[in-house]
Amino acid sequence: QSVLTQPPSVSGAPGQRVTISCTGSISNIGAGYDVHWYQQLPGIAPKLLIYGNTNRPSGVPDRFSASKSDTSASLTITGLQAEDEADYYCQSYDMNLGGVFGSGTKVTV
Amino acid sequence: EVQLVETGGGLVQPGGSLRLSCAASGFSVSDTYMSWVRQAPGKGLEWVSVIYTGGNSHSADSLEGRFTISRDSSKNILYLQMNSLRAEDTAIYYCCRGHKVIASFYFDYWGQGALVSVSS
């Protein structure tokens, strides 16, 4: 049972916008800890997509954006492309548990 | 160029031990947070352990003290000693370079992963 809850799957047509939610609690996101996002393509290691709630590492397309509010966060993909089909995970810190990941969301294009 | 290469995975019997190694290049493992993250077959990511720059470490409570993270700064290698292994420890284990932010840490580089299978 993941501490951070994500929808199991979301889908969209090419060019559409999809949003993935990440719901936590007062001991993690709600306590002020930052949220980070990772993309995992089939069969390979995850890749950092967003750090510090809203920041994109160099090389990540600007169609990926994220936000955080209260006890939750969200990742938005604008202008969905076939290559975005992957699993996406949010990650934060919990004052009782340490590092925590979301349950993961499969994006289907 | 930053690289992380895990070795030491394999098949082990329940109750056995295994030590994973992660050879780092392009940076020093003692200059940043380092972590292990695992992924059971077909499942999501699970944070395992972190070792801080000062040498202190923290592991997931769910591991019940069976796993120990450590590093050898002279060799630039991160380790994960896993004892009393159980079937539910079967997973790909990723070595990750961590970055501390004001409130949390994140992982900017990941190794390719090492598969650990616990079975009789």
Side-chain angles (χ1 to χ4, degrees):
Chain A
Q1 202 88 351
S2 298
V3 174
L4 305 179
T5 301
Q6 299 179 231
S9 63
V10 298
S11 64
Q16 285 190 330
R17 181 175 73 178
V18 297
T19 298
I20 301 167
S21 60
C22 173
T23 304
S25 68
I26 59 172
S27 64
N28 42 70
I29 299 175
Y33 292 109
D34 288 346
V35 179
H36 322 288
W37 292 88
Y38 302 86
Q39 177 193 59
Q40 186 177 30
L41 297 170
I44 66 173
K47 165 192 166 185
L48 179 66
L49 203 61
I50 298 284
Y51 67 94
N53 303 317
T54 61
N55 304 292
R56 283 187 310 276
S58 173
V60 173
D62 60 7
R63 65 177 182 275
F64 293 95
S65 63
S67 64
K68 173 194 165 187
S69 178
D70 297 328
T71 58
S72 66
S74 63
L75 174 73
T76 298
I77 309 175
T78 305
L80 197 61
Q81 298 186 8
E83 68 216 49
D84 299 332
E85 191 158 286
D87 294 324
Y88 293 82
Y89 295 90
C90 59
Q91 178 248 318
S92 186
Y93 186 85
D94 187 282
M95 62 176 65
N96 300 313
L97 302 172
V100 288
F101 281 96
S103 45
T105 299
K106 181 176 182 59
V107 170
T108 302
V109 182
Chain B
E1 180 191 5
V2 171
Q3 278 197 316
L4 298 167
V5 179
E6 300 98 334
T7 55
L11 177 63
V12 60
Q13 292 190 336
S17 298
L18 206 61
R19 187 178 79 162
L20 300 181
S21 299
C22 171
S25 57
F27 73 102
S28 171
V29 296
S30 59
D31 287 346
T32 187
Y33 289 14
M34 294 296 296
S35 259
W36 290 94
V37 173
R38 70 182 181 181
Q39 186 170 35
K43 301 297 184 182
L45 301 173
E46 180 185 13
W47 173 77
V48 172
S49 289
V50 62
I51 185 166
Y52 301 107
T53 51
N56 291 336
S57 63
H58 182 199
S59 295
D61 289 344
S62 60
L63 299 174
E64 301 173 348
R66 299 180 295 120
F67 291 10
T68 302
I69 189 172
S70 63
R71 68 189 181 207
D72 185 328
S73 301
S74 65
K75 296 180 180 178
N76 214 29
I77 295 177
L78 179 74
Y79 299 102
L80 184 67
Q81 177 67 43
M82 303 182 291
N83 299 327
S84 303
L85 282 161
R86 306 167 180 167
E88 55 263 36
D89 296 319
T90 294
I92 296 173
Y93 285 74
Y94 294 104
C95 165
C96 309
R97 187 178 83 165
H99 268 285
K100 181 184 185 300
V101 288
I102 295 174
S104 184
F105 50 75
Y106 64 90
F107 312 113
D108 62 348
Y109 283 93
W110 297 60
Q112 85 287 353
L115 177 61
V116 173
S117 296
V118 184
S119 174
S120 55

